Structure formats: structure tokens, C-alpha cells
Amino acid sequence: KNQVEQSPQSLIILEGKNCTLQCNYTVSPFSNLRWYKQDTGRGPVSLTIMTFSENTKSNGRYTATLDADTKQSSLHITASQLSDSASYICVVSTNRDDKIIFGKGTRLHILP
Amino acid sequence: DTEVTQTPKHLVMGMTNKKSLKCEQHMGHRAMYWYKQKAKKPPELMFVYSYEKLSINESVPSRFSPECPNSSLLNLHLHALQPEDSALYLCASSQLAGGPQNTQYFGPGTRLTVL
């Protein structure tokens, strides 16, 4: 069964600190993996997209990694800011159909 | 223009009302999507349109009726909804449906409350 598992479910860190969010997937056949940031009550915004051959991709203070062998991805946030408080959703696509599989997200809280 | 717009932002309706949600994009994307999202849950796919044709209907009740008048517009017609249908309704579009070009760009959503 195609699944995307994220951990932790929620995370609280102090402003300026770094953190890493995890995503494990069992989606097959794999096409690509994306990390989205979703503020409460708003639509998700794409942060990174990674295909099978890519190991690392950065977008400002966000760095995503992908290990296609172990089917794991991480999102590292450096020097966190209060505006980073949001849900971070890992989304995986297959080559088989038009659907994408969402993780349940990690709720990140940045405290001043 | 790299934006997906949705109207209205908020909608309150009774169970006997008929209303419509609208979504628009001008990025030349040929795939458009409707999602339903309850609080603290990931979005749930409802419908996918590819080249203005309905390609996926995730067994959505008939009280939700999608329409894609052209490649830039996507509507969701609502009739006889139930209170449990209250949620954030998200529209998304992607260059194509499927493959690496299916990075979906989401609109801000319509917050729907059914009384």
C-alpha cells in the first residue's frame, strides 16, 4: 500500500535553532517527492521537489535530502524564524497515475 | 502570473442552499484539482481534471459537482451539503497530471461552513 509517514507529529523549537523533519514512504513506482509548507487556513506552498536521482536540494534556509534506496527524505531548517511556524507536508508521486500521496504533516512551532 | 486564485475566501451556507466555489489559474497548466481538508489533517483528493476532462473522481458524493469550463477555470458546485462537509476546500493546478511536471500549486482555499 502506498503510504507516506512523517515524524515527529509536532515539534517545538526556539527561534534561531535548527531542526530536521523526517519522511518515510512506501510509494511505488516512485516519481518524485515534494515538501510543502502550509500555514494555518492557507493552501500548501511548494518548498522543494526531488526526483529519483537527486540527493539534496536547497531553497534558502530549507534543505531537503532524499535516499531513494531507503525511501527516506528529510527537511532541514536552519536558523529558524517565527514565520517558519507551520505544518510541513511530505508528498510523494507515482508514475502510475495522477494521484499524489500526502503525509500527515509535522506541525512546527517556533518560540521567541 | 504564478498564482492560483480561489473565491470566495469564506462561505457559510445552509443545507438547502446551492453555491459554487471558483478557482482560476493563468499558468497554462492543463491539470486542475479539488481537495478537501479538515483541521489538522492532510488534504484529501476529490477530483482531478486533465485537459478539461474529469480523470479522477475519488468517490465523492453527488452533492459535490465539479465543472471545468476551460483550461483556466475550475468550479465546484455545492448542493444539499451536510454539516460534516464543513472544511477548507483547496484548488490546485499543475503543468500536467502525473510525472515530474505534476508539482501542484495550491490556491489559498475557501473556508466552507455548512449550518
Side-chain angles (χ1 to χ4, degrees), chain B residues 19-115:
Chain B
K19 296 287 184 184
S20 296
L21 309 185
K22 296 185 184 302
C23 174
E24 192 167 2
Q25 57 86 15
H26 295 286
M27 294 179 277
H29 288 175
R30 302 315 299 268
M32 296 187 77
Y33 310 77
W34 279 115
Y35 288 87
K36 172 183 177 181
Q37 187 176 28
K38 295 287 233 181
K40 298 182 181 179
K41 300 281 188 183
E44 297 174 10
L45 182 64
M46 300 174 73
F47 303 104
V48 180
Y49 273 84
S50 180
Y51 289 91
E52 294 119 72
K53 287 186 167 41
L54 184 66
S55 64
I56 294 178
N57 176 342
E58 287 286 74
S59 302
V60 179
S62 60
R63 57 186 184 268
F64 295 92
S65 175
E67 178 197 19
C68 190
N70 60 57
S71 60
S72 299
L73 293 174
L74 186 66
N75 299 322
L76 186 62
H77 303 297
L78 314 172
H79 174 53
L81 294 193
Q82 304 296 312
E84 59 265 28
D85 296 323
S86 299
L88 181 69
Y89 286 84
L90 293 165
C91 172
S93 72
S94 63
Q95 191 174 349
L96 296 172
Q101 294 110 326
N102 71 347
T103 293
Q104 294 181 22
Y105 294 80
F106 286 84
T110 293
R111 173 67 63 189
L112 174 67
T113 302
V114 182
L115 300 176

Side-chain angles (χ1 to χ4, degrees), chain A residues 41-58:
Chain A
R42 305 298 301 272
V45 175
S46 180
L47 296 175
T48 63
I49 176 171
M50 302 179 73
T51 57
F52 187 86
S53 59
E54 295 175 298
N55 299 119
T56 303
K57 186 165 279 189
S58 292

Side-chain angles (χ1 to χ4, degrees), chain A residues 18-96:
Chain A
N18 304 335
C19 66
T20 301
L21 314 180
Q22 300 290 343
C23 173
N24 297 337
Y25 62 93
T26 58
V27 176
S28 181
F30 174 84
S31 174
N32 59 77
L33 183 148
R34 281 157 286 168
W35 284 93
Y36 283 88
K37 177 186 178 186
Q38 185 175 22
D39 293 309
T40 302
R42 305 298 301 272
V45 175
S46 180
L47 296 175
T48 63
I49 176 171
M50 302 179 73
T51 57
F52 187 86
S53 59
E54 295 175 298
N55 299 119
T56 303
K57 186 165 279 189
S58 292
N59 178 2
R61 294 179 297 103
Y62 301 104
T63 299
T65 65
L66 175 65
D67 186 332
D69 291 330
T70 61
K71 298 188 177 182
Q72 295 179 327
S73 176
S74 66
L75 181 69
H76 186 74
I77 304 174
T78 58
S80 61
Q81 299 176 358
L82 295 178
S83 58
D84 293 332
S85 294
S87 288
Y88 291 83
I89 306 173
C90 177
V91 179
V92 181
S93 299
T94 79
N95 285 319
R96 180 167 292 141

Side-chain angles (χ1 to χ4, degrees), chain B residues 6-21:
Chain B
Q6 289 187 244
T7 56
K9 288 186 180 179
H10 302 275
L11 178 62
V12 179
M13 60 186 290
M15 290 190 284
T16 58
N17 292 155
K18 282 185 183 180
K19 296 287 184 184
S20 296
L21 309 185

